Amino acid sequence: MRDDIEVLESYFNHVWYFIDGDGYELSLLYGKGKYAILYHHRRLRQVAINFLSESNPLRDLTLFVSGLEGRFGISVEEFLPRILAEFALVEGRDN
């Protein structure tokens, strides 16, 4: 599965890790104004990806992070303010 994720990552210029621990990672793939959010649980072999819209990427990012608990039973909403702040930094660098 990691090989597939690396192929996906190769389509983007950069990878920003919001969270990397406890057996899972939540990362932002970005470059050339395109963004995707990736959740990967290494031990459970769970993967979810969402491509963020150009019109409202913060909404898409928030919905994805908020939906992880319902889909996978993992709650990372406590990290949401930090994730949004880091996204703003990354977005500023990418433009």
Side-chain angles (χ1 to χ4, degrees):
M1 185 171 295
R2 184 69 215 163
D3 291 341
D4 295 330
I5 292 171
E6 287 176 3
V7 168
L8 177 65
E9 289 174 347
S10 73
Y11 287 95
F12 295 87
N13 296 353
H14 309 282
V15 178
W16 181 280
Y17 291 94
F18 292 126
I19 301 171
D20 190 1
D22 293 330
Y24 67 91
E25 63 189 54
L26 185 63
S27 55
L28 177 71
L29 313 175
Y30 68 99
K32 301 176 187 157
K34 305 288 184 207
Y35 302 94
I37 183 82
L38 172 72
Y39 162 78
H40 174 219
H41 197 295
R42 295 176 285 272
R43 188 175 40 84
L44 299 177
R45 300 183 53 82
Q46 297 172 327
V47 173
I49 187 166
N50 188 41
F51 292 87
L52 307 181
S53 69
E54 291 181 36
S55 61
N56 198 344
L58 289 176
R59 182 200 64 212
D60 294 345
L61 179 58
T62 301
L63 291 173
F64 183 85
V65 169
S66 300
L68 287 175
E69 186 169 16
R71 291 178 66 192
F72 299 106
I74 187 160
S75 178
V76 293
E77 283 195 60
E78 66 189 79
F79 300 110
L80 188 57
R82 183 177 59 89
I83 289 169
L84 294 175
E86 289 179 8
F87 179 79
L89 288 173
V90 168
E91 188 178 33
R93 290 182 193 164
D94 191 42
N95 292 332

